[in-house]
Amino acid sequence: MAALNRLLRAKELSLSSSYSWMTTTCLRRNLFSTAVSEAAAAELHRAPSSSSPPLIKAFPVRRDPKERNVQWVFLGCPGVGKGTYSSRLCSLLGVPHIATGDLVREELSSSGPLSKQLAEIVNQGKLVSDEIILNLLSQRLEAGEAKGESGFILDGFPRTIRQAEILEDVTDIDLVINLKLREDVLLEKCLGRRICSQCGGNFNVANIDIKGENGRPGIYMAPLLPPPHCASKLITRSDDTEAVVKERLRIYDEMSQPVEEFYRSRGKLLEFDLPGGIPESWPKLLQALNLDDHDDKQSAAA
């Protein structure tokens, strides 16, 4: 495992920029064929012990942009609305919405070998390790490729600089949309989140109406209330407490700057300040992306 840990250290991850060798081999084989010895590769392929951290699994093969749909990333603090806006764009563009938070929650509910470890991490407001996230993501991308999916929008990934570096080396990201919202509004939004225990629908009971002052614009966000049949079945996420939310925001702020700069330096970062709720923000986001909101599937160039 020492070889894998060394491989994943951000400052040591340096792969060839040429992808002529990227065919049907998986990420694991590609990484080790260029960066580590056969002995280290053997260590990775050995059966892990019950105490070993998850190993990174295969990622789908890189595809020509002309033969696929958009491959975008949504960044932003927890609770900013990545899921809301990225899922809307996915419906508009006809691409799958892949939220790492959903992947983690699905694993938690599966009672699998990682569920206990993940529950402790999530309930403490900490970020899930890169190894776990990369495994969950690679499984989802492989499943989508097997079903013939084209393109994707990633919601909540990458969160760290080494995640961004690994993602850059295994697939092409066309555009990174960084949603921004002031912290006092974020906190109120997170504390107002609710989930329907029956259908899994996401709602928000917070009615945010902050007046502008000292040159700072006001902001209004109407609640996203559930339909009558869900109203009596609403639950609050266990990690949506004020202390946990503040800790999540603190950790995110520390880790987000290098990731934002990573994509900014590559000319792929679009920073978008949310002016309000969905009615105010959605049309302006579409305008920033040069998209029209109609039922036909769109195809956009980065």
Side-chain angles (χ1 to χ4, degrees):
M1 291 309 300
L4 178 60
N5 291 332
R6 289 195 301 271
L7 178 65
L8 289 176
R9 288 169 56 188
K11 292 184 179 180
E12 295 180 5
L13 186 60
S14 176
L15 300 183
S16 170
S17 60
S18 170
Y19 293 96
S20 61
W21 39 261
M22 180 72 85
T23 55
T24 58
T25 54
C26 66
L27 169 63
R28 186 186 314 159
R29 186 178 303 169
N30 287 333
L31 289 173
F32 282 104
S33 66
T34 59
V36 298
S37 65
E38 292 182 0
E43 178 184 353
L44 175 62
H45 286 284
R46 67 173 171 78
S49 66
S50 58
S51 60
S52 298
L55 301 179
I56 297 177
K57 298 183 179 180
F59 276 77
V61 175
R62 181 184 301 266
R63 294 176 62 182
D64 189 322
K66 296 179 181 179
E67 299 175 355
R68 60 166 172 79
N69 213 320
V70 301
Q71 294 186 173
W72 289 356
V73 166
F74 261 75
L75 299 180
C77 290
V80 73
K82 296 186 299 294
T84 298
Y85 294 102
S86 59
S87 60
R88 280 182 168 231
L89 281 172
C90 285
S91 297
L92 187 66
L93 297 167
V95 298
H97 172 250
I98 303 176
T100 53
D102 291 342
L103 297 180
V104 169
R105 283 186 283 276
E106 288 171 9
E107 185 69 21
L108 279 169
S109 63
S110 69
S111 300
L114 290 176
S115 60
K116 184 176 180 180
Q117 179 185 358
L118 283 172
E120 183 177 348
I121 293 171
V122 170
N123 290 333
Q124 291 177 358
K126 297 180 179 179
L127 295 179
V128 180
S129 72
D130 292 343
E131 289 81 5
I132 294 176
I133 291 295
L134 287 164
N135 265 325
L136 295 176
L137 178 61
S138 66
Q139 291 170 14
R140 172 61 183 85
L141 291 176
E142 286 178 351
E145 186 177 53
K147 294 188 295 185
E149 290 179 348
S150 173
F152 55 75
I153 294 181
L154 298 182
D155 170 0
F157 183 91
R159 286 184 173 180
T160 67
I161 189 66
R162 64 178 179 173
Q163 287 179 354
E165 289 173 333
I166 293 172
L167 188 63
E168 180 90 352
D169 282 316
V170 297
T171 193
D172 294 309
I173 298 300
D174 307 320
L175 181 68
V176 178
I177 303 161
N178 187 25
L179 297 183
K180 293 187 172 183
L181 190 62
R182 44 194 280 188
E183 186 171 334
D184 55 341
V185 177
L186 275 169
L187 180 59
E188 195 168 345
K189 271 195 68 185
C190 287
L191 297 180
R193 292 194 295 195
R194 300 293 186 271
I195 302 172
C196 176
S197 59
Q198 185 173 33
C199 72
N202 291 283
F203 307 100
N204 201 302
V205 299
N207 186 18
I208 300 171
D209 189 4
I210 300 176
K211 306 301 182 183
E213 57 181 7
N214 299 325
R216 199 176 190 185
I219 188 167
Y220 174 73
M221 290 185 169
L224 181 60
L225 299 176
H229 60 273
C230 293
S232 63
K233 305 177 182 68
L234 296 185
I235 59 175
T236 302
R237 281 170 42 173
S238 61
D239 57 331
D240 275 349
T241 65
E242 184 170 350
V244 171
V245 169
K246 286 184 175 180
E247 178 66 5
R248 283 208 308 265
L249 294 177
R250 184 192 68 79
I251 293 174
Y252 181 85
D253 186 61
E254 288 181 357
M255 304 183 74
S256 64
Q257 295 301 321
V259 177
E260 292 171 13
E261 183 55 36
F262 179 87
Y263 288 114
R264 185 181 293 111
S265 67
R266 287 158 174 76
K268 295 182 178 181
L269 187 68
L270 171 65
E271 304 199 79
F272 184 79
D273 291 291
L274 293 166
I278 296 173
E280 297 82 15
S281 300
W282 177 241
K284 292 185 178 180
L285 178 59
L286 291 178
Q287 184 179 15
L289 295 170
N290 295 317
L291 293 174
D292 295 320
D293 188 4
H294 55 76
D295 292 335
D296 294 335
K297 293 181 180 179
Q298 301 293 310
S299 177

